[in-house]
Amino acid sequence: MSASLYAALATALAATEIDEKIALTVQLAADWQAGRLDWLDAGPVELVCGRPAKPELVPPLRAPQRNTKSPEGRARLLHAIVHIEFTAINLALDHAARFRGLPQQYYADWIGVAAEEAGHFNLLRQRLRELGHDYGDFPAHAGLWHMAEKTTGDVLARMALVPRLLEARGLDATPPIQRKLEAAGDETSARLLDTILRDEIGHVGLGDQWFRHLCKERGLEPEITYRQLLTDLEAPWPQAPLNEAARLAAGFSSEELSALLAARP
C-alpha cells in the first residue's frame, strides 16, 4: 500500500534540522520515482515550514551589505544565495503539498525541483564552508517565504508570484553577481552559479507553464492576469535590467518583458 504523498511532503517541510530536511527531500523524490507515494490521497495534513534556529531572519532592508572586495563580503554574498536555495527547498515542497486536485505532472515537477534545490544548497554550502563559514553564520531575510504566505489560497497566484516573479528575479541578479565574483578573483564561486542559473531557468519555466495552464483553465489572459496580480498583491514589480535571454528561455515573451518595464510603477 502506497504512503500519502502529502504526509511525506508535510514531514519534509516541517523538518527544522538542515541535514534531516535534505535527507527527507531526497528520500521523498526517490520514493516518488519508485511509485511508493499516493498523490490521490485525500487525507488532511498540517503544513508548517520548519527552519533551523539560525540564520537570524531580518527585514530585507536590514540585511547586511555584501562587498565582494573582501573575503567576508564574498562569504556574506554566498550565504545569501545559500539561504535562497534553502528557502527554495521549502517553497517547492509547499507548492506540492498545499494544492490538491492538480495533474500528476504538477506534483512530479515540484518534487523534482525540491530535490534539485537540495542539490544546489549542498553545492553552495560546501563552497561557503571552503570560505571559512557555514549556513547560519550571517543574518538573512524571508522575502521569498513572505510571498508564499500571501499566496496560500490560490495556486495560480502562487505560480505567478513565487517562481514566475521572485525566483525569476534570480535570473536577472545572477550574471551581475558572477561578474563581481570574477572581478574579485573568485572564479570558483562564479562557476558554481553557472549550474544554479541553468537549473533555475528550468524552475522558473515550470512556474510559467503551470501559471499559463491555470489561466487557460480559468479563461484568463496570462500576461494581463500577471500584471494584475502584481498590483493586487502589492508584489515587487520586475526592474531593469532584465536577463532577457534567460527569461525568454523560461517562457516569458519579448512583448511581455517590454510591457512589464513600460507599466512598472
Side-chain angles (χ1 to χ4, degrees), residues 10-262:
T11 298
L13 182 65
T16 57
E17 295 298 323
I18 295 171
D19 291 340
E20 180 188 15
K21 187 181 293 286
I22 297 293
L24 286 169
T25 299
V26 171
Q27 185 61 53
L28 186 154
D31 288 342
W32 173 261
Q33 289 291 330
R36 292 191 287 264
L37 295 173
D38 178 11
W39 68 284
L40 295 174
D41 174 68
V45 294
E46 181 182 5
L47 297 181
V48 177
C49 180
R51 64 174 187 84
K54 292 183 177 181
E56 175 192 3
L57 296 184
V58 300
L61 293 178
R62 285 185 51 207
Q65 296 297 309
R66 300 176 288 270
N67 187 338
T68 54
K69 293 180 180 179
S70 72
E72 181 173 311
R74 291 194 293 278
R76 285 180 179 273
L77 174 60
L78 202 60
H79 184 275
I81 301 171
V82 172
H83 178 65
I84 289 170
E85 297 302 329
F86 184 80
T87 304
I89 300 169
N90 284 330
L91 288 169
L93 293 170
D94 193 82
H95 295 344
R98 186 168 299 278
F99 303 105
R100 305 287 183 96
L102 291 156
Q104 185 177 15
Q105 188 60 46
Y106 173 88
Y107 304 102
D109 286 345
W110 294 113
I111 291 166
V113 169
E116 277 196 350
E117 301 289 17
H120 292 172
F121 175 84
N122 284 336
L123 187 70
L124 293 174
R125 187 188 192 189
Q126 178 57 40
R127 178 57 183 158
L128 184 60
R129 285 170 165 171
E130 290 169 3
L131 297 177
H133 295 276
D134 201 357
Y135 181 52
D137 284 358
F138 306 109
H141 70 78
L144 270 171
W145 192 256
H146 177 61
M147 186 60 72
E149 292 175 333
K150 289 178 72 171
T151 56
T152 55
D154 187 358
V155 63
L156 186 150
R158 173 66 68 84
M159 293 295 100
L161 300 184
V162 177
R164 204 174 189 268
L165 174 64
L166 295 189
E167 294 188 63
R169 293 172 74 181
L171 306 183
D172 306 328
T174 299
I177 289 171
Q178 289 179 292
R179 289 192 288 271
K180 288 181 180 180
L181 290 169
E182 289 163 354
D186 191 349
E187 189 74 21
T188 299
S189 297
R191 297 288 66 79
L192 288 179
L193 295 183
D194 288 336
T195 299
I196 308 303
L197 179 59
R198 180 198 67 213
D199 291 346
E200 293 301 336
I201 290 172
H203 300 173
V204 174
L206 289 175
D208 177 79
Q209 290 170 31
W210 286 110
F211 171 69
R212 292 180 186 277
H213 170 87
L214 292 159
C215 284
K216 184 177 180 180
E217 281 193 338
R218 301 184 194 184
L220 301 172
E221 199 290 317
E223 296 177 6
I224 293 173
T225 302
Y226 184 66
R227 293 194 293 275
Q228 190 62 51
L229 284 167
L230 292 177
T231 300
D232 291 349
L233 276 78
E234 301 179 336
W237 208 273
Q239 299 292 314
L242 302 179
N243 185 343
E244 185 170 336
R247 283 177 174 264
L248 290 174
F252 288 82
S253 70
S254 56
E255 293 78 12
E256 182 181 14
L257 296 181
S258 298
L260 283 170
L261 292 180

